[in-house]
Amino acid sequence: MYFSIMAASASSVPVLGQCGFYVEKKKRFCKMVVRSGKRFCGEHAIMEEGGSSRRIVCPLDPKHTVSEDKLDKHLKKCNNRSRAKPVYYVENINAGVADGQKMLQQVSLCDFSRMQLESLVNKLKSAFTGLQCDVEDRVLSHPVLHEELHNPKNGVSAYKHLKQQSSILGHLEAMGLLGNGRCFVEFGAGRGKLSHWIHEALKTQDYPQTGRDLQLVLVERCSTRFKVDGKHQDVGVHFERLQVDIQHLDLSKVTFIRQKNLPLVGVGKHLCGAATDLALRCLLETAERRGGTKPPQKNLRTSELAAEPDSGPAPDGVDVVAGSDSGLGPVLGLAVALCCHHRCDWLHYVGQQFFLQRGLGPEEFSAFCRMSSWATCGRRQTNQNRISLRGEDEEHEPADENDTVAGFLSAPEREHFGRLCKLLIDCGRIHFLQNRGFDSKLMHYVDSQVTLENMLLTAQPRTQSSHQG
């Protein structure tokens, strides 16, 4: 560690009040603030001359250390200490059922022979025989983001995110979902930017007023820095963050959602892999099992939707009553930007029935998940000088391939079949939504130059979407 301190150039010095430890990997000094009269922060205090306190790894989280003589005090306030689970935490409530099938580990395409790869490609082609699953090119925007999109202070990465957020809001508006008197649930919220712009749009535009109540629920399993939640303190607006994995979230047990019983709108921007399936179960399937929410079965005004206690027979013979026991209002629709199909999981996947009907099972699903990464990484060169075409601000794993894959399929072919794998997985999600009385669509909501993961999944109750048509 002493070498790390000396590795900094003579002209490189820490900022006043900043730790003097030079982080070799990041080529900069540690940014932690130090106590008065000290040269190093608590993490690097062992470098302090005359320091007597030994640093040890925290038993709750090996990513940080703590002074040995202060361990007991630290364990009481460590961010990774055990905490009581919130009332809406119900373990694995949205995990799904495997239909008795044995769960498989994610496979590597490098382990497949050419014959196996040919068989998979043939099965993929056969699965699309007679299948109607069109994708529309529909790039929209919303005026509330116009000024920010033309702000010269925004860099390339910020511009890409703004373009996506603008199009998602445009689709929400086109579907008639952007309005007050609703509960917007943003799955995989991160910093909460999408909810932020939804709120800004509803403040500045003359949208239908069904009452002053507006709920924006941000669901994110990780602690997130630079959140925008604190900017929203308007009267009548409930801006709430739930730090919980979607897999374990029971919306019907969230107190403030039960109290208002507002119609629900699900949204998400780049909801990775299985998180999309978990969100669909959380919004639709779980509430059905608990005798709760369903899509409205007739054309209603927004004011009627919030107050309607019963909207007729449930789709597919499911005998449920909206808002009876679950405390959830009707689901008005959803708009979710998809990505990272290679991170899907058969256990959580909502389209199991769709796959089984086409003679496909967990083995093929697992292989197609890996092949789906060809869509974003398939153009790269093999062997030497490999080139990734992934977006600068998106995180996508490279396609795992070997000489067998490269010799069997050209780069354009790999990209084509990768996109077919993604589309087939998404068609299973549409099948799931249709079985619950929703009309669902897939569309390219931004240009591929903005992001290669440019697919948006939308859904509305069948009668409502026909009315919007």
Side-chain angles (χ1 to χ4, degrees), residues 3-141:
F3 174 80
S4 295
I5 301 173
M6 303 303 294
S9 63
S11 61
S12 178
V13 293
V15 177
L16 182 65
Q18 182 177 305
C19 179
F21 183 84
Y22 188 78
V23 185
E24 183 66 33
K25 183 178 180 181
K26 297 185 178 180
K27 304 299 181 184
R28 63 165 173 78
F29 284 96
C30 170
K31 293 185 178 181
M32 295 294 290
V33 178
V34 298
R35 290 183 178 181
S36 178
K38 298 292 184 179
R39 185 182 173 191
F40 299 96
C41 67
E43 189 71 16
H44 302 119
I46 192 173
M47 304 302 302
E48 202 81 47
E49 291 185 9
S52 58
S53 178
R54 187 169 75 95
R55 303 289 296 187
I56 60 173
V57 175
C58 174
L60 300 179
D61 181 10
K63 293 182 180 179
H64 67 270
T65 62
V66 60
S67 296
E68 188 175 23
D69 57 357
K70 297 180 180 179
L71 178 60
D72 291 340
K73 182 179 179 180
H74 171 79
L75 293 178
K76 295 178 181 178
K77 61 180 182 179
C78 180
N79 289 334
N80 289 280
R81 68 189 184 278
S82 297
R83 302 181 185 183
K85 295 289 191 297
V87 66
Y88 49 78
Y89 180 97
V90 180
E91 189 168 357
N92 293 324
I93 188 171
N94 303 313
V97 181
D99 291 339
Q101 297 284 346
K102 180 181 178 181
M103 291 296 94
L104 299 177
Q105 294 293 326
Q106 195 71 280
V107 297
S108 171
L109 298 181
C110 297
D111 297 331
F112 286 117
S113 66
R114 175 162 182 160
M115 183 178 296
Q116 289 174 311
L117 287 172
E118 289 177 341
S119 176
L120 285 170
V121 169
N122 289 333
K123 288 181 178 181
L124 179 62
K125 292 177 180 178
S126 298
F128 279 93
T129 302
L131 180 63
Q132 297 294 324
C133 194
D134 298 328
V135 180
E136 180 183 353
D137 291 326
R138 196 179 187 197
V139 179
L140 301 180
S141 62

Side-chain angles (χ1 to χ4, degrees), residues 185-190 217-221 242 244-246 249 251:
V185 183
E186 182 182 357
F187 295 98
V217 183
L218 288 70
V219 182
E220 177 58 59
R221 65 181 179 180
L242 307 181
V244 61
D245 193 310
I246 305 171
L249 172 60
L251 283 177

Side-chain angles (χ1 to χ4, degrees), residues 273-309:
T276 295
D277 303 296
L278 296 173
L280 293 177
R281 292 187 189 280
C282 180
L283 196 62
L284 302 174
E285 191 176 75
T286 299
E288 286 181 3
R289 288 202 306 267
R290 290 182 173 273
T293 186
K294 62 178 178 181
Q297 297 299 303
K298 59 180 180 179
N299 293 326
L300 299 175
R301 295 187 181 92
T302 308
S303 57
E304 293 175 321
L305 287 173
E308 181 71 10

Side-chain angles (χ1 to χ4, degrees), residues 159-447:
Y159 176 77
K160 288 183 176 183
H161 287 295
L162 289 168
K163 287 284 287 185
Q164 295 169 66
Q165 291 155 356
S166 180
S167 185
I168 292 174
L169 259 68
H171 281 279
L172 288 172
E173 184 176 49
M175 296 164 66
L177 297 178
L178 206 56
N180 288 289
R182 301 175 184 190
C183 176
F184 291 88
V185 183
E186 182 182 357
F187 295 98
R191 293 173 58 191
K193 279 289 199 176
L194 184 56
S195 291
H196 163 77
W197 287 115
I198 290 174
H199 183 213
E200 290 297 310
L202 295 179
K203 285 197 305 183
T204 57
Q205 302 296 321
D206 185 22
Y207 285 104
Q209 300 292 323
T210 61
R212 291 186 175 275
D213 289 324
L214 173 66
Q215 294 177 337
L216 295 126
V217 183
L218 288 70
V219 182
E220 177 58 59
R221 65 181 179 180
C222 302
S223 178
T224 307
R225 300 176 66 190
F226 310 117
K227 297 185 288 287
V228 298
D229 310 25
K231 298 180 180 180
H232 303 273
Q233 306 293 337
D234 295 10
V235 176
V237 178
H238 194 116
F239 215 87
E240 186 81 14
R241 180 175 290 267
L242 307 181
Q243 188 174 333
V244 61
D245 193 310
I246 305 171
Q247 181 172 335
H248 312 300
L249 172 60
D250 185 349
L251 283 177
S252 69
K253 291 191 174 184
V254 180
T255 304
F256 62 89
I257 292 181
R258 290 181 61 89
Q259 289 174 341
K260 294 296 183 181
N261 196 26
L262 298 177
L264 300 172
V265 178
V267 296
K269 176 177 169 291
H270 287 286
L271 203 53
C272 280
T276 295
D277 303 296
L278 296 173
L280 293 177
R281 292 187 189 280
C282 180
L283 196 62
L284 302 174
E285 191 176 75
T286 299
E288 286 181 3
R289 288 202 306 267
R290 290 182 173 273
T293 186
K294 62 178 178 181
Q297 297 299 303
K298 59 180 180 179
N299 293 326
L300 299 175
R301 295 187 181 92
T302 308
S303 57
E304 293 175 321
L305 287 173
E308 181 71 10
D310 187 359
S311 51
D316 302 320
V318 180
D319 185 17
V320 296
V321 179
S324 57
D325 297 322
S326 74
L328 294 178
V331 177
L332 297 186
L334 60 90
V336 174
L338 310 171
C339 78
C340 299
H341 294 69
H342 61 275
R343 300 181 68 177
C344 291
D345 183 274
W346 177 257
L347 172 63
H348 304 317
Y349 182 50
V350 296
Q352 289 183 14
Q353 182 184 12
F354 171 82
F355 258 63
L356 294 172
Q357 287 175 352
R358 279 154 183 76
L360 304 172
E363 294 87 356
E364 290 80 11
F365 178 82
S366 181
F368 290 162
C369 286
R370 298 310 302 169
M371 291 165 63
S372 71
S373 62
W374 289 346
T376 52
C377 307
R379 299 181 197 172
R380 66 177 188 167
Q381 299 174 0
T382 55
N383 298 326
Q384 298 180 348
N385 301 322
R386 295 189 172 186
I387 301 174
S388 173
L389 297 183
R390 65 183 181 182
E392 293 179 9
D393 59 337
E394 310 293 350
E395 296 183 2
H396 307 297
E397 295 178 5
D400 55 336
E401 57 190 45
N402 57 12
D403 291 338
T404 300
V405 178
F408 172 48
L409 298 170
S410 65
E413 287 175 328
R414 289 198 300 276
E415 182 180 355
H416 170 68
F417 288 123
R419 294 206 174 279
L420 286 183
C421 288
K422 283 177 171 286
L423 182 57
L424 188 66
I425 293 170
D426 291 336
C427 285
R429 290 163 171 165
I430 287 181
H431 180 267
F432 170 85
L433 288 163
Q434 289 175 339
N435 283 346
R436 278 154 182 78
F438 286 80
D439 275 337
S440 184
K441 297 179 181 178
L442 291 169
M443 57 195 72
H444 296 129
Y445 75 108
V446 291
D447 190 87

